[in-house]
Amino acid sequence: MESLIGLVNRIQRACTALGDYGGGDNAFSSLWDALPSVAVVGGQSSGKSSVLESIVGRDFLPRGSGIVTRRPLVLQLHKTDDGQQEYAEFGHMPRRRFTDFGTVRQEIADETDRITGKTKQISPVPIHLSIYSPNVVNLTLIDLPGLTKVAVEGQSETIVEDIENMVRTYVGKPNCIILAVSPANQDIATSDAIKLAREVDPTGERTFGVLTKLDLMDKGTNALDVLEGRAYRLQHPWVGIVNRSQADINKNVDMIYARRKEREYFATSPEYGHLASKMGSEYLAKLLSKHLEQFIKARIPSITSLINKSIDELESELDHLGRPIAVDAGAQLYTILELCRAFDKIFKEHLDGGRPGGDRIYGVFDNQLPAALRKLPFDRYLSVQNVRKVVSEADGYQPHLIAPEQGYRRLIEGALNYFRGPAEASVDAVHFVLKELVRKSIGECQELKRFPSLQSTIAAASNEALEKFRDEGRKTVVRLVDMESSYLTVDFFRKLPQEMETPKGGKPEVAAAVDRYGEAHFRRIGSNVSSYVNMVSDTLRNTLPKAVVYCQVKEAKQSLLNYFYTQIGKKEGKALSELLDEDPALMERRMQCAKRLELYKKARDEIDSVAWVR
């Protein structure tokens, strides 16, 4: 019967080893929360600790006045074969066996103080204790701080609320069985445990009522109305407990002897004799174990579903994190090249439109470059005053006869020099976009996240290549501008002698007859140069993007990492290992993920093997 409970205990113990336990904010506590357990709830001095010790058959819990239980105690009982020695193990001290239960009591107190200090404060961080004994049933019990009504000296003013909230985090879970402990010498209507149980389990399906201190009731009174369900009815029967007296505790009365005395009390009691077979700590332990067995069986499908879902998620996460790297140089080189190709693929997707970012390059050509060309100061440069100055200086001591050819050339060459700025700015703008796409591609390459050293190396190699492409792009666009100024279109000069100018109120005259020193003459020269510059501007607006794309974008797509590939092939094993030096946090995450995956798979296999055992 107890095979399933033992299985749950083993899974919970494995969860504890990984820190995957409930009652806190742990992100991986879903499996623990899905496994049924029994939480012991009661007011201070209700006899909770005595009930637990009676079930275990050992005196192992700290005692004293006020709040003694200041941290949750997750107690896992493991039934062993008859004749085997009893021992205990703490989750925070794995592989150390305690055979002296007085030492267990002291370690619980010491471990509590490590978190809370030697104060009366509480902490939600649980203590995990496993007890292996032939005298117990397979069971997981959670001892919680006793509910209180007022804060005493040395406690926080919110202690009452803090304890209730902590208890609710456990008993509020749908897979938690509530063991509500109330003293028989107090009115059940005032029971803190019953009050809280009613709030979180209004139907009573998960609540077991335990009545302690039956032997301490006033003479002439009894608790039959409670035990027989007339005072407060639960779906499960009430169980009465007779704990050891303080005198027995002081005399270190053996728990086995105390159990025998408890059986005798009920068997010989005139009030409770007819209920003797369903009273006592031994019956309570068996009742809980049987119910827990049924509880687990009913929830096996949901537990299995959760485990299968978690396995799929962990498998996916491990694939995302990547598998361990081989140690030989050939495999490491292959891995590096594969990672580089994964990065390069994402980078190309950004450029080709599979991912966002490449459209910013088009924005450089469609918005930034035209805007920069429009802002060039040609109006100022081709003003009448500047044209007169340039033409006059070009003529020297001999004025031009027909057309100021040298003046035209100097004006055009000077104007075309202004195109260098926008041309180089386009190169720099595209370079910035490409660098940003490299950074984004590295960040989006999931395979690279494992290797910060390789990320930095690829980024450096990519940026070095982009710098070379930018240098080549600058040379090319500047060359295009220089080409325009190195040879002026012949047709432009041939048309000049035929141009006519019409004086005010007169007939058209040949340009040569116009006063070569008049303002109209220089305005006409400026207008001619402006037309030519506009023609060149239209040409550069089309050719500069082609040059930039050819020298930078196309090269980045085709040969961004070519130089890096050449260099990486020359590296030895140690240098390759350094590139594949993973982030320690990522390695830890993978290791924890692998451990959890192993836990879930083992749990699934064990559930499959014992789920239908009768």
Side-chain angles (χ1 to χ4, degrees):
M1 181 186 70
E2 295 171 343
S3 57
L4 282 178
I5 301 177
L7 166 63
V8 168
N9 280 356
R10 289 195 299 275
I11 297 175
Q12 287 176 327
R13 192 162 66 253
C15 288
T16 301
L18 293 177
D20 294 358
Y21 46 78
D25 296 328
N26 193 291
F28 296 96
S29 61
S30 55
L31 178 56
W32 176 283
D33 291 342
L35 299 173
S37 58
V38 180
V40 186
V41 183
Q44 287 186 26
S45 303
S46 61
K48 281 191 311 93
S49 296
S50 295
V51 170
L52 284 172
E53 289 183 331
S54 296
I55 291 174
V56 174
R58 280 289 187 174
D59 189 356
F60 69 98
L61 293 172
R63 294 183 178 276
S65 59
I67 298 181
V68 179
T69 304
R70 291 182 285 122
R71 290 174 58 184
L73 175 67
V74 180
L75 177 63
Q76 293 180 306
L77 304 181
H78 307 270
K79 183 173 180 60
T80 58
D81 295 334
D82 291 339
Q84 291 191 359
Q85 185 182 28
E86 294 177 290
Y87 67 92
E89 286 184 352
F90 285 95
H92 61 274
M93 303 176 71
R95 294 181 296 278
R96 178 179 173 183
R97 293 188 175 185
F98 290 78
T99 55
D100 180 355
F101 282 82
T103 308
V104 172
R105 183 190 308 112
Q106 185 60 47
E107 180 57 32
I108 292 174
D110 292 344
E111 176 60 17
T112 298
D113 290 343
R114 289 186 188 108
I115 299 296
T116 64
K118 295 183 180 297
T119 66
K120 296 181 180 181
Q121 302 303 318
I122 63 170
S123 169
V125 180
I127 298 172
H128 292 266
L129 174 63
S130 296
I131 293 179
Y132 299 81
S133 168
N135 302 316
V136 300
V137 294
N138 286 314
L139 204 56
T140 294
L141 298 164
I142 304 172
D143 186 21
L144 297 166
L147 298 166
T148 185
K149 298 184 184 301
V150 295
V152 299
E153 186 177 353
Q155 292 178 344
S156 167
E157 294 183 357
T158 62
I159 190 73
V160 176
E161 182 181 352
D162 293 342
I163 291 177
E164 183 173 332
N165 290 338
M166 182 196 303
V167 173
R168 283 180 183 273
T169 61
Y170 286 89
V171 301
K173 295 183 175 71
N175 291 317
C176 178
I177 298 170
I178 305 169
L179 196 62
V181 179
S182 305
N185 56 356
Q186 293 180 12
D187 189 347
I188 195 65
T190 65
S191 170
D192 296 317
I194 292 298
K195 176 178 178 294
L196 182 61
R198 182 188 297 170
E199 291 178 9
V200 299
D201 180 32
T203 62
E205 295 179 357
R206 299 188 287 116
T207 303
F208 283 79
V210 177
L211 210 59
T212 61
K213 304 185 180 182
L214 289 169
D215 54 330
L216 301 182
M217 297 184 70
D218 293 337
K219 290 185 178 180
T221 62
N222 60 58
L224 285 176
D225 283 349
V226 176
L227 293 176
E228 292 179 345
R230 291 188 294 274
Y232 185 79
R233 179 174 295 278
L234 294 171
Q235 290 199 22
H236 305 288
W238 282 84
V239 178
I241 299 290
V242 175
N243 299 323
R244 289 181 300 167
S245 66
Q246 189 60 48
D248 289 340
I249 294 172
N250 294 338
K251 294 177 183 178
N252 293 321
V253 171
D254 181 76
M255 291 295 297
I256 303 301
Y257 174 73
R259 283 181 177 178
R260 186 165 65 249
K261 283 187 61 178
E262 183 185 44
R263 289 195 299 270
E264 292 174 356
Y265 173 86
F266 286 110
T268 60
S269 170
E271 293 92 353
Y272 310 120
H274 65 292
L275 298 174
S277 62
K278 296 182 179 180
M279 296 288 120
S281 54
E282 289 181 290
Y283 173 77
L284 175 62
K286 292 177 181 177
L287 177 66
L288 289 174
S289 182
K290 181 179 180 180
H291 179 75
L292 193 58
E293 178 85 11
Q294 296 170 347
F295 201 76
I296 293 170
K297 281 185 178 180
R299 280 157 177 76
I300 278 180
S302 63
I303 294 173
T304 303
S305 176
L306 170 65
I307 289 176
N308 287 332
K309 179 183 177 183
S310 300
I311 287 174
D312 292 340
E313 291 174 350
L314 289 168
E315 290 277 15
S316 177
E317 184 175 3
L318 268 181
D319 290 338
H320 177 73
L321 294 174
R323 305 293 174 171
I325 299 300
V327 295
D328 62 286
Q332 289 177 344
L333 177 60
Y334 175 80
T335 299
I336 292 173
L337 295 177
E338 284 295 303
L339 293 170
C340 289
R341 280 190 278 271
F343 154 75
D344 198 47
K345 179 176 179 291
I346 295 175
F347 179 72
K348 289 176 180 176
E349 288 175 356
H350 277 294
L351 291 177
D352 293 335
R355 296 172 185 256
D359 55 312
R360 292 172 57 193
I361 295 175
Y362 174 75
V364 172
F365 304 141
D366 194 52
N367 299 315
Q368 295 182 38
L369 177 59
L373 294 176
R374 286 193 299 268
K375 290 180 181 179
L376 292 177
F378 292 132
D379 289 344
R380 177 171 51 83
Y381 179 75
L382 296 177
S383 66
V384 172
Q385 293 82 358
N386 195 58
V387 171
R388 177 185 286 113
K389 178 177 177 296
V390 173
V391 171
S392 299
E393 291 175 353
D395 281 349
Y397 73 94
Q398 288 189 349
H400 57 271
L401 300 178
I402 300 175
E405 180 178 339
Q406 290 302 321
Y408 271 108
R409 289 187 180 276
R410 290 193 183 184
L411 283 170
I412 292 173
E413 288 173 2
L416 295 186
N417 280 335
Y418 283 110
F419 288 116
R420 284 174 173 260
E424 292 182 333
S426 298
V427 171
D428 291 338
V430 171
H431 175 75
F432 177 81
V433 173
L434 293 173
K435 282 186 67 175
E436 182 65 15
L437 292 182
V438 165
R439 185 191 65 77
K440 287 184 65 175
S441 299
I442 290 176
E444 293 171 7
C445 185
Q446 298 298 330
E447 298 90 338
L448 273 177
K449 289 185 182 297
R450 299 171 57 184
F451 311 107
S453 296
L454 185 57
Q455 287 183 48
S456 300
T457 304
I458 289 178
S462 299
N463 290 333
E464 183 180 349
L466 291 179
E467 289 289 344
K468 293 179 180 178
F469 303 154
R470 177 169 66 172
D471 291 343
E472 187 60 33
R474 279 179 173 172
K475 292 177 183 177
T476 302
V477 296
V478 170
R479 190 177 292 118
L480 284 176
V481 174
D482 291 345
M483 287 166 57
E484 292 293 343
S485 61
S486 66
Y487 183 79
L488 305 183
T489 306
V490 177
D491 289 344
F492 177 80
F493 288 98
R494 288 175 177 168
K495 293 176 182 178
L496 290 181
Q498 300 172 11
E499 292 180 0
M500 305 293 290
E501 183 169 318
T502 305
K504 291 182 180 179
K507 296 181 180 181
E509 299 180 30
V510 180
V514 178
D515 183 3
R516 65 174 59 91
Y517 300 109
E519 182 176 321
H521 174 64
F522 292 114
R523 186 179 292 110
R524 181 171 56 82
I525 292 174
S527 177
N528 289 335
V529 172
S530 178
S531 298
Y532 186 82
V533 168
N534 288 335
M535 179 187 69
V536 172
S537 179
D538 291 340
T539 301
L540 291 178
R541 182 174 175 177
N542 293 321
T543 57
L544 288 178
K546 295 179 180 179
V548 171
V549 169
Y550 182 81
C551 294
Q552 292 177 265
V553 181
K554 185 179 178 182
E555 282 298 310
K557 285 179 61 177
Q558 293 181 346
S559 57
L560 183 65
L561 293 177
N562 281 0
Y563 181 73
F564 177 68
Y565 291 149
T566 303
Q567 296 301 310
I568 199 69
K570 301 176 183 178
K571 291 185 179 292
E572 300 295 333
K574 183 179 180 181
L576 294 174
S577 298
E578 290 175 351
L579 288 177
L580 296 175
D581 184 19
E582 291 189 82
D583 181 353
L586 197 75
M587 294 175 65
E588 176 66 19
R589 185 178 171 193
R590 184 193 298 111
M591 182 177 70
Q592 290 297 323
C593 186
K595 286 182 178 180
R596 289 186 175 90
L597 181 60
E598 181 182 3
L599 162 64
Y600 278 83
K601 285 185 174 180
K602 187 175 181 181
R604 181 181 61 184
D605 293 342
E606 292 205 45
I607 288 176
D608 288 344
S609 66
V610 302
W612 308 113
V613 175
R614 295 290 188 268

